[in-house]
Amino acid sequence: QNCRKLSEDVQNAILAVATVYYWLPKGQGTTLRKMVRDATTEVVEGMIQLTDTILNAPVESLSQEQLISTGGVWEACEQVSNLPRGEYNQAAVVSALTACLGVVKDAVEEMEHALVEGQDPYGDIMEDEELGFRGNRDTYWSEADRQLLSSCMGLMKASKACLKKVLAAVKAHGKADSPEQIAQLDDLADIANEISPSVDELALSMYPPVNPLAVRLNAAKLASVLKKVLEIAKTSHVCPPSEEGWVQFLTGAVDHNMNKVKNFTQDQL
């Protein structure tokens, strides 16, 4: 009887969580809605896993799997308490941009470390007797490679700067008082989410052996995403006249580094 009562309470709680999500008006913003959906899904999936673990365990036993699953449910519920408050979609977009910035920062730092003069980019890989990594020229950058990659690093640093500036602008000027403002914030979050994968693709293509045309293609993709981010920011409410200076500066930085990449790879076409 106690188990049946507990099971009913759990079922009602899960239904209540799902109901709250479906009650959330879509007009409050797709960024916020996605965060709430993901948090709700984690709670529900955590309870499904815990229930399966209990059902598959012998009666009156407490297994390590049950403890781990219980901890997973607690963790999922704690994430719900971290959902955006206040100007909901503005806070959700701030959270999304902050996450993107963290990933891009890590990618830039990793590539900066690898590009240190004389640094072996595969230094953390043990030498293989058959492949002979240390004697393989394809594991090192030539001087021409380094010149090309310095411009790519310029684009990666521009990505970090772009996210920092957009994040600051959303914090300072972002509003969610009208459908238009909410939609503009969602557009910024959507396009900003494309920066990190583009940075990763460029970084991967920068490792030796370098294919200049592949680097050029990935650099062009990243430059295109950055230009879109800057254009969307410029035309949105988060970018009053006081913010236009950094938009213009970063647009110029993206163009400058992309033109250098084109010049270094022109003879490969």
Side-chain angles (χ1 to χ4, degrees), residues 45-247:
E45 289 181 344
M47 279 307 306
I48 291 172
Q49 184 180 17
L50 176 57
T51 304
D52 284 340
T53 304
I54 293 171
L55 290 174
N56 293 328
V59 178
E60 296 183 358
S61 71
L62 182 63
S63 66
Q64 185 69 17
E65 289 77 11
Q66 288 175 336
L67 292 174
I68 294 173
S69 296
T70 303
V73 174
W74 286 348
E75 185 177 350
C77 291
E78 287 173 359
Q79 289 302 312
V80 173
S81 66
N82 294 328
L83 287 170
R85 299 286 194 274
E87 297 235 21
Y88 301 118
N89 205 51
Q90 188 259 5
V93 171
V94 166
S95 177
L97 292 174
T98 301
C100 292
L101 178 58
V103 175
V104 170
K105 274 184 176 179
D106 290 343
V108 171
E109 289 174 5
E110 181 181 331
M111 188 52 64
E112 281 181 328
H113 178 72
L115 279 168
V116 171
E117 190 66 37
Q119 178 83 24
D120 178 0
Y122 295 112
D124 58 343
I125 300 176
M126 295 183 65
E127 183 171 353
D128 186 285
E129 291 183 1
E130 293 184 10
L131 298 178
F133 280 120
R134 294 296 176 264
N136 187 341
R137 291 173 56 195
D138 285 347
T139 63
Y140 296 91
W141 282 301
S142 67
E143 186 56 38
D145 289 340
R146 288 185 177 276
Q147 288 182 340
L148 170 61
L149 300 190
S150 67
S151 301
C152 294
M153 280 304 304
L155 277 177
M156 291 177 69
K157 289 177 180 178
S159 303
K160 184 173 75 170
C162 182
L163 281 169
K164 286 179 69 173
K165 287 294 188 180
V166 171
L167 175 59
V170 171
K171 285 181 177 179
H173 309 292
K175 301 288 184 184
D177 299 331
S178 69
E180 183 181 13
Q181 290 173 338
I182 290 172
Q184 288 174 350
L185 290 174
D186 283 333
D187 287 344
L188 273 174
D190 289 343
I191 188 63
N193 278 332
E194 296 182 26
I195 294 180
S196 175
S198 299
V199 167
D200 287 342
E201 286 184 29
L202 176 58
L204 286 173
S205 67
M206 289 164 65
Y207 279 93
V210 174
N211 179 336
L213 289 183
V215 171
R216 176 174 175 149
L217 176 62
N218 287 319
K221 288 180 180 177
L222 176 57
S224 176
V225 170
L226 294 178
K227 295 287 284 289
K228 286 181 185 176
V229 171
L230 293 168
E231 183 60 31
I232 289 173
K234 183 180 178 180
T235 57
S236 74
H237 71 280
V238 306
C239 191
S242 60
E243 303 284 347
E244 290 180 359
W246 63 261
V247 173

Side-chain angles (χ1 to χ4, degrees), residues 6-65:
L6 178 61
S7 298
E8 289 174 354
D9 288 345
V10 168
Q11 184 179 29
N12 289 335
I14 291 295
L15 288 171
V17 168
T19 300
V20 169
Y21 164 66
Y22 283 112
W23 275 347
L24 178 63
K26 293 182 180 180
Q28 288 296 317
T30 57
T31 307
L32 173 66
R33 191 173 175 83
K34 182 179 184 302
M35 287 186 176
V36 176
R37 182 188 65 206
D38 290 346
T40 304
T41 301
E42 286 191 29
V43 172
V44 175
E45 289 181 344
M47 279 307 306
I48 291 172
Q49 184 180 17
L50 176 57
T51 304
D52 284 340
T53 304
I54 293 171
L55 290 174
N56 293 328
V59 178
E60 296 183 358
S61 71
L62 182 63
S63 66
Q64 185 69 17
E65 289 77 11

